[in-house]
Amino acid sequence: MMLSPVESALAYARENAARFRAQLVELLRIPSISTLPDHAADVERAAEWLIADLRRIGMTRAEIFRADGYLPLVYAEWLGAGEGAPTVLLYCHYDVQPAEIEAGWVTDPFDPVERDGKLYARGAVDSKSHVIIQLKALEALLAAGGPPVNIKLLFEGEEESGSEHIFQFVRDNRDLLRADACVLSDGSFPDVNQPVLDYGLRGIVAMEITVTGPTRDLHSGHYGGSVHNPIQALSAMLAQMHDADGRVLVPGFYDGVRPITDEERAVMADYERWVMDEWRSFTGAPQPWGEPEYRIHERLGARPTLEFNGIYGGFSGPGVKTVLPSKATVKITCRLVPDQDPDQVVERVRDFVAQITPPTVTSTFTPGSDRASGVIFDRDTPAMRAAAEAYARGWGARPIYAREGGSIPVVEVFQKYLSESIVLMPFGYKGCGAHSANEYVILDMFHKGIDTMIYFHDVFAEAFASAT
Amino acid sequence: MMLSPVESALAYARENAARFRAQLVELLRIPSISTLPDHAADVERAAEWLIADLRRIGMTRAEIFRADGYLPLVYAEWLGAGEGAPTVLLYCHYDVQPAEIEAGWVTDPFDPVERDGKLYARGAVDSKSHVIIQLKALEALLAAGGPPVNIKLLFEGEEESGSEHIFQFVRDNRDLLRADACVLSDGSFPDVNQPVLDYGLRGIVAMEITVTGPTRDLHSGHYGGSVHNPIQALSAMLAQMHDADGRVLVPGFYDGVRPITDEERAVMADYERWVMDEWRSFTGAPQPWGEPEYRIHERLGARPTLEFNGIYGGFSGPGVKTVLPSKATVKITCRLVPDQDPDQVVERVRDFVAQITPPTVTSTFTPGSDRASGVIFDRDTPAMRAAAEAYARGWGARPIYAREGGSIPVVEVFQKYLSESIVLMPFGYKGCGAHSANEYVILDMFHKGIDTMIYFHDVFAEAFASAT
């Protein structure tokens, strides 16, 4: 019996499953920690490892892009499907968070250990399994005669340290990178058996407010009662920023917020159960909180926030110090949704802070430089439909649709310069401990991920052809 | 012409002025920093220096009291005035704050330098000049035949590090220390030509509140909008603790507060000008703040406060961290006035915190162990009248009366176990930079201080005799 190219690729993936796992272990052994300068050589080593494998599997171009201060950005392509076929840009990151054994690791974070179908290592789920899934799906398709789509591939090495350079790189290399769909592969399902397709991300802006009362720290006995304490003034200001239900009271903050449609509510309804289960098990908070007219997953994915990330002022050591401090500072980030304008949100908060600063203190407002808008992707593109179908075939379950509360700033430049069509394809599970001790990947999910990506390229080629 | 004993003592002080200054310099050279364990031997050395001088000038008993973990407590007495004469207990401290040259010292803090009538050194005003003033006034009186009062003298070596042991020492040695008046010599005038007699001190209690939202730090993208942020909850709680004018809103907080009498208002009226001048030059705050129905010096000396000494929670490093923190903490001290009950104030704040903690977070309340009541001294005691007269003679200006906003916890045990009659006799000036870089003592004030103490002992003996 003659196998189709997809069947052939799936068979190849099954035959080579042990080697694929061994290669994942190899990559996990390299401590490519991008946040620690001491590990720059390891990040380099991981990039070289990827280049070697990309060349071996038959990518026609594989090179490292560098510039001053860059950690290596791995680019590869295979354009053998021809001009009539669509082009897919695949994005993953191969750098990892730090991992100190003292943080509670049961085994060495860079000496992967398999137990009960799980592989434990730093980067196992975030995001080296995603990198290897993409690589090995391509290897299988190339071994079966080549994928029916052209492939461009971008593996970033500084995602965990702030993605400082990829924005400029994408702008400068838009012709090289342009595609018919961008697949960003990272992230997690709410349940091992329940794939999820995120069709939105929140944006983000950051700012800092410092309130100054006296110009120096004062003795609370000698001056207390006659000087407005900046902690007190700041607390009173912060207390005016939300109502008791969590609505943001900054005038104009909600300008442009796109309402959740009834259709979205119906599409996302399935997600609430998963979100609530996870909320309860993970947060440990006494009870949910926030805008009562929205479900929890709507609050997380479709509503903007004004969050206090940190506060400090005066004495924080053990014991007592009778100081009336000079300053108090709060750090704020706002998560944004379409169609809020990040610059305008910053200005609205700045104006409100100026307005509510009492005359007995002064305040300074420092906006952060990084700004990302919230985004929503069309759920009815060929790539999105192909992703849903690929999960259905590779996982045996149709994905649910959700809007993600986090931000992936790079999505905005991909969408602007490379392709309107964005798909986020996660293959992790929320319980896998990304950024925590004893991070793991579930090996069954790893193999299903490879199958799903093999299906994706095939289904997308068909969907794209019939749509054009 | 036959000199009276006082005239004779004053003459002795003038003749020995240069040596008295030299001895002050000697004591200032010893870095008796009680807060740094490395300097324990220096504190010891300063105590031995004092003992030697006390013996030399003719005190009949001079010894160091020690117990486990004590820094040396210097006790001396001269009871030659006899049973009919009153006994004065003199208290000073000879330990000092740390002084790092990097903090802005123009010269070595432990190598005293004289410039323009000022002697610069750590401890110059706080409080070694006070120690030497007391010592040299006694020396002059002893040289002139002996003071007309019995003298007990207590020099503490751990005032700057929290006075941990003196409370128990006073309780255990009440018979040894009992006196007809206690003179605590430390502190500052609002102006070099304007002596001040503080007739009240505020008390103090400390506490800490921690608000916990989620049981771990959360990703502000993944959870923001669904979890009550503890910084937000704490800010809202703190904002409920004062009204816009600074009145404390904790129910029952003002229970027992003794109203300021019209007579006090008249007595203290002179002080407002000095306080406001200093307030403006020192605090740098945009404008005064606090209960509008009270003058600034009344807010400082006669009204209780609830002050936020420090706040912290979440991320305080440079840049941005998108964390929804688990906890936020505030450190609070309340300054108390008569007749608030410190224990009751703590309970009232505890109850209020429990009442205003929203159900979406939890709060813990940790009271501090050190508690001191506010105190007011009778202005019409023989000792207080003698102090006023001594300043008038020694300084050429009658003192103004004020209530001090700070706390001297040891006063409470002195008053309870040793004598109801307490007098605070400062000889410093507020601008002398106690606890700051380039601390100094004004040498003219140092010599006037010695004269004033010579007068004090003489006038007090008379005032006591005529009162009994």
Side-chain angles (χ1 to χ4, degrees), chain B residues 239-297:
Chain B
Q240 296 173 63
M241 293 194 179
H242 299 85
D243 71 13
D245 287 324
R247 288 179 204 92
V248 178
L249 297 177
V250 174
F253 182 80
Y254 291 103
D255 283 4
V257 170
R258 205 186 296 179
I260 307 171
T261 63
D262 291 342
E263 186 260 346
E264 274 190 285
R265 287 209 143 181
V267 165
M268 289 203 295
D270 285 345
Y271 195 47
E272 182 72 1
R273 176 167 66 92
W274 302 112
V275 167
M276 276 314 299
D277 284 353
E278 196 226 336
W279 194 99
R280 284 198 196 89
S281 66
F282 193 78
T283 71
Q287 52 180 263
W289 174 92
E291 297 175 291
E293 61 271 38
Y294 296 97
R295 294 185 187 128
I296 296 293
H297 74 266

Side-chain angles (χ1 to χ4, degrees), chain B residues 88-306:
Chain B
V88 174
L89 176 82
L90 299 169
Y91 163 90
C92 297
H93 71 90
Y94 66 91
D95 60 324
V96 300
Q97 284 276 319
E100 282 100 29
I101 197 111
E102 301 76 32
W105 284 85
V106 173
T107 55
D108 184 336
F110 296 105
D111 186 9
V113 171
E114 193 181 325
R115 276 198 313 276
D116 303 330
K118 298 168 180 171
L119 186 65
Y120 289 83
R122 169 56 83 227
V125 72
D126 181 17
S127 194
K128 285 177 175 171
S129 56
H130 289 91
V131 168
I132 301 292
I133 282 169
Q134 298 303 332
L135 255 179
K136 299 299 123 181
L138 291 181
E139 177 176 338
L141 285 165
L142 287 163
V149 295
N150 298 305
I151 297 291
K152 295 178 177 179
L153 197 149
L154 197 56
F155 289 154
E156 188 187 3
E158 49 187 22
E159 198 268 352
E160 299 292 1
S161 61
S163 292
E164 203 183 328
H165 299 103
I166 196 168
F167 300 93
Q168 191 59 45
F169 177 80
V170 170
R171 278 190 292 266
D172 292 349
N173 295 279
R174 60 187 83 174
D175 292 331
L176 175 72
L177 300 171
R178 194 167 283 132
D180 297 295
C182 299
V183 174
L184 290 86
S185 190
D186 197 1
S188 306
F189 299 176
D191 181 272
V192 290
N193 296 313
Q194 183 53 67
V196 63
L197 272 176
D198 287 326
Y199 70 95
L201 294 165
R202 291 198 286 192
I204 191 165
V205 292
M207 54 203 86
E208 198 173 290
I209 303 164
T210 294
V211 167
T212 303
T215 46
R216 61 181 102 188
D217 286 357
L218 300 176
H219 187 293
S220 75
H222 297 165
Y223 294 98
S226 73
V227 174
H228 201 172
N229 183 312
I231 297 173
Q232 190 174 331
L234 179 60
S235 295
M237 291 164 67
L238 300 186
Q240 296 173 63
M241 293 194 179
H242 299 85
D243 71 13
D245 287 324
R247 288 179 204 92
V248 178
L249 297 177
V250 174
F253 182 80
Y254 291 103
D255 283 4
V257 170
R258 205 186 296 179
I260 307 171
T261 63
D262 291 342
E263 186 260 346
E264 274 190 285
R265 287 209 143 181
V267 165
M268 289 203 295
D270 285 345
Y271 195 47
E272 182 72 1
R273 176 167 66 92
W274 302 112
V275 167
M276 276 314 299
D277 284 353
E278 196 226 336
W279 194 99
R280 284 198 196 89
S281 66
F282 193 78
T283 71
Q287 52 180 263
W289 174 92
E291 297 175 291
E293 61 271 38
Y294 296 97
R295 294 185 187 128
I296 296 293
H297 74 266
E298 293 171 341
R299 294 178 204 171
L300 294 178
R303 297 293 298 170
T305 65
L306 188 155

Side-chain angles (χ1 to χ4, degrees), chain A residues 66-123:
Chain A
R66 305 169 195 280
D68 218 23
Y70 270 50
L71 291 172
L73 198 53
V74 172
Y75 175 76
E77 64 183 30
W78 181 87
L79 307 178
E83 292 209 352
T87 300
V88 174
L89 177 82
L90 299 168
Y91 164 90
C92 298
H93 71 89
Y94 66 90
D95 61 321
V96 300
Q97 284 275 321
E100 281 99 30
I101 197 109
E102 302 76 33
W105 284 85
V106 173
T107 55
D108 184 336
F110 296 105
D111 187 8
V113 171
E114 191 181 325
R115 280 198 311 276
D116 303 329
K118 298 169 182 171
L119 186 65
Y120 289 84
R122 170 56 83 227

Side-chain angles (χ1 to χ4, degrees), chain A residues 259-336:
Chain A
I260 307 170
T261 64
D262 290 344
E263 187 261 342
E264 274 191 284
R265 288 211 141 177
V267 165
M268 291 202 296
D270 285 347
Y271 196 48
E272 182 70 3
R273 176 167 66 90
W274 301 113
V275 168
M276 277 313 301
D277 285 354
E278 196 225 335
W279 194 99
R280 284 200 195 86
S281 66
F282 193 78
T283 71
Q287 53 180 262
W289 175 91
E291 297 174 290
E293 61 272 37
Y294 295 97
R295 293 185 188 127
I296 295 293
H297 74 267
E298 293 170 341
R299 294 178 205 172
L300 294 179
R303 296 294 297 169
T305 64
L306 188 156
E307 200 77 60
F308 305 136
N309 306 120
I311 193 167
Y312 56 97
F315 180 64
S316 61
V320 173
K321 186 175 176 188
T322 54
V323 64
L324 194 172
S326 170
K327 289 172 195 299
T329 297
V330 67
K331 284 172 174 276
I332 296 176
T333 49
C334 296
R335 296 282 172 174
L336 307 180

